[in-house]
Amino acid sequence: MGETRQALVLGAGIMGLSAAWGLAGRGYAVTVLDQDPVPNPRGASHDHHRLIRHAYGAEAGYMRMVDQAYAAWDRLWREIGEVLYLPTGVLALADAPGGWLAASRATLLAGGHAPEALGEAEIAARFPMLDAAGIADAFHMPAGGVLLADRILAGLARLLTARGVRMLRGRAAALDAERGCLRLEDGSERQADLLVVAAGPWAPRLVPGLAARVVPSRQVLVLLEPPPEHRATWAAAPMLLDLAEDGGFYAVPPVAGTPLKIGDHRFSRRGDAEDDRDATPAEAREILDFARHRIRGLDTYRMVDARACYYDVTADEGFVVEAPSPRCFVMSGFSGHGFKFGPLLGLALARAAGDATLTRALPAWAAGRALPPPSLLPDLTRGAA
């Protein structure tokens, strides 16, 4: 019998913990290293919620991956012992024809989905908290919902700890991909048979060449409490995607005791991951102004909080999952829409580790540009790794 393979994962967000989950299931002895507590409150994954949906503009690759992602989440729910997902459906709105909504509808129809077209009158009747005036196009889909992000990270960390995965604190200063080695700021080194770098907006500082492809992006979120007359309506509402090119927004309904969340779908592509996470009053006003035309009586909503998070963003919003050496994988560029694919990518990375053919196939599939070879994806139906 050979010695147990050692894996070192840098980053305890959804990607790092999912990679640790996949690798532990493949027999690796895994250590997860993060500069902050696990889960990291400064990480891109830290939030009340993240969304999962099939509507993806013209990105057919990611639309196809959503069903695979649901299967991976189902496996994780079985292992955690609870379902940390609430189905809400999706309501997509546009003030002008064409654009993201029209591209999403065309891609969904080509993929076998059936978005329901809605007019102004029907929107006004079904969603009275919204102002339907000026809507040029809209559709609703029952599929899609809210992933309870913070609870998922905590559940994954508990699961991994119970399975013997070590969680360590430390800040990486440099990496050697060829050796599978991290040098920490305290001068010590940690080395493993396999190193996975999933350091979110901090990764471009560590991985040579990555800063030319991935940048940090400061994203502001406003958390609200609806007035009493709209609380029940919002609690039963779908996620709202009002994605105008000149300043649209998304809204996450207040499910499972969480607040209503409003954010800007565009990427700022500015800031530094070391900046604080408090949003300025001007930043909060900008987000609310995007939504003011669509949400009736928005000034009567109580602001619970306004905060910033930092995403790691590529120019085309494609994910970076690749191996700069046989002993190192990099997971980066998840652009705010990666959370839904965390367990799927973690299982796929674990399957590819040590297999040169699958490692070569992984980047194009993860970037949404290619179908995967059948052996890349785990057999989720039987719960095998």
Side-chain angles (χ1 to χ4, degrees), residues 153-246:
L153 296 180
L156 250 176
R158 287 193 301 270
L159 175 68
L160 294 174
T161 300
R163 293 185 176 176
V165 173
R166 299 174 66 206
M167 303 284 179
L168 300 181
R169 288 282 296 274
R171 185 176 172 90
L175 66 86
D176 184 335
E178 296 298 326
R179 296 172 54 220
C181 181
L182 288 176
R183 178 169 57 81
L184 306 188
E185 284 193 344
D186 65 7
S188 65
E189 285 192 349
R190 291 198 171 269
Q191 188 173 12
D193 301 301
L194 182 69
L195 170 64
V196 178
V197 180
W202 290 273
R205 298 180 176 184
L206 296 170
V207 180
L210 190 62
R213 303 159 60 192
V214 177
V215 298
S217 185
R218 181 177 175 87
Q219 304 298 129
V220 175
L221 309 170
V222 177
L223 305 179
L224 302 170
E225 180 184 359
E229 63 268 26
H230 289 315
R231 286 176 190 165
T233 307
W234 270 115
M239 71 177 80
L240 174 62
L241 308 175
D242 193 331
L243 303 186
E245 293 299 324
D246 59 349

Side-chain angles (χ1 to χ4, degrees), residues 298-314:
L298 187 58
D299 289 335
T300 66
Y301 287 56
R302 183 177 71 87
M303 185 184 297
V304 177
D305 195 9
R307 64 178 69 152
C309 65
Y310 276 85
Y311 295 158
D312 39 314
V313 176
T314 60

Side-chain angles (χ1 to χ4, degrees), residues 5 30 124 153 160 192 206 238 243 293 307 323 325 334 346 371 379:
R5 297 166 293 177
V30 183
L153 296 180
L160 294 174
L206 296 170
L243 303 186
H293 75 294
R307 64 178 69 152
S325 86
F334 294 107
L371 293 171
D379 184 354

Side-chain angles (χ1 to χ4, degrees), residues 12-329:
I14 190 60
M15 294 302 165
L17 294 180
S18 293
W21 176 56
L23 290 165
R26 301 285 288 179
Y28 281 81
V30 183
T31 298
V32 174
L33 179 73
D34 201 290
Q35 62 188 334
D36 289 316
V38 179
N40 181 352
R42 296 194 295 159
S45 300
H46 178 71
D47 200 357
H48 292 291
H49 4 61
R50 288 287 184 260
L51 300 175
I52 182 168
R53 52 182 165 81
H54 290 87
Y56 245 100
E59 298 290 339
Y62 286 129
M63 180 198 70
R64 287 192 298 265
M65 285 172 65
V66 169
D67 284 330
Q68 300 158 357
Y70 269 118
W73 285 112
D74 285 342
R75 176 177 169 182
L76 183 60
W77 306 146
R78 292 193 296 270
E79 297 191 18
I80 288 179
E82 61 179 325
V83 176
L84 298 171
Y85 164 77
L86 288 152
T88 64
V90 179
L91 175 62
L93 308 175
D95 292 341
W100 180 91
L101 190 148
S104 292
R105 177 186 285 112
T107 307
L108 289 164
L109 291 170
H113 300 279
E116 174 195 9
L118 298 179
E120 280 190 24
E122 192 164 10
I123 292 168
R126 290 169 60 173
F127 308 108
M129 71 289 198
L130 303 179
D131 186 340
I135 293 174
D137 198 3
F139 68 72
H140 176 265
M141 288 185 66
V146 176
L147 296 160
L148 299 172
D150 286 348
R151 302 180 205 183
I152 289 169
L153 296 180
L156 250 176
R158 287 193 301 270
L159 175 68
L160 294 174
T161 300
R163 293 185 176 176
V165 173
R166 299 174 66 206
M167 303 284 179
L168 300 181
R169 288 282 296 274
R171 185 176 172 90
L175 66 86
D176 184 335
E178 296 298 326
R179 296 172 54 220
C181 181
L182 288 176
R183 178 169 57 81
L184 306 188
E185 284 193 344
D186 65 7
S188 65
E189 285 192 349
R190 291 198 171 269
Q191 188 173 12
D193 301 301
L194 182 69
L195 170 64
V196 178
V197 180
W202 290 273
R205 298 180 176 184
L206 296 170
V207 180
L210 190 62
R213 303 159 60 192
V214 177
V215 298
S217 185
R218 181 177 175 87
Q219 304 298 129
V220 175
L221 309 170
V222 177
L223 305 179
L224 302 170
E225 180 184 359
E229 63 268 26
H230 289 315
R231 286 176 190 165
T233 307
W234 270 115
M239 71 177 80
L240 174 62
L241 308 175
D242 193 331
L243 303 186
E245 293 299 324
D246 59 349
F249 72 100
Y250 65 88
V252 183
V255 296
T258 66
L260 170 66
K261 180 171 76 178
I262 296 177
D264 184 357
H265 77 285
R266 302 170 305 171
F267 298 114
S268 72
R269 302 180 190 276
R270 60 177 174 80
D272 188 292
E274 290 298 314
D275 293 345
D276 66 58
R277 299 303 194 263
D278 293 328
T280 67
E283 287 176 320
R285 280 196 304 272
E286 182 180 22
I287 299 301
L288 292 176
D289 285 345
F290 290 150
R292 201 172 302 281
H293 75 294
R294 186 64 63 218
I295 299 178
R296 292 183 182 277
L298 187 58
D299 289 335
T300 66
Y301 287 56
R302 183 177 71 87
M303 185 184 297
V304 177
D305 195 9
R307 64 178 69 152
C309 65
Y310 276 85
Y311 295 158
D312 39 314
V313 176
T314 60
D316 64 357
E317 301 180 32
F319 304 153
V320 177
V321 183
E322 60 192 30
S325 86
R327 295 184 65 173
C328 180
F329 280 92

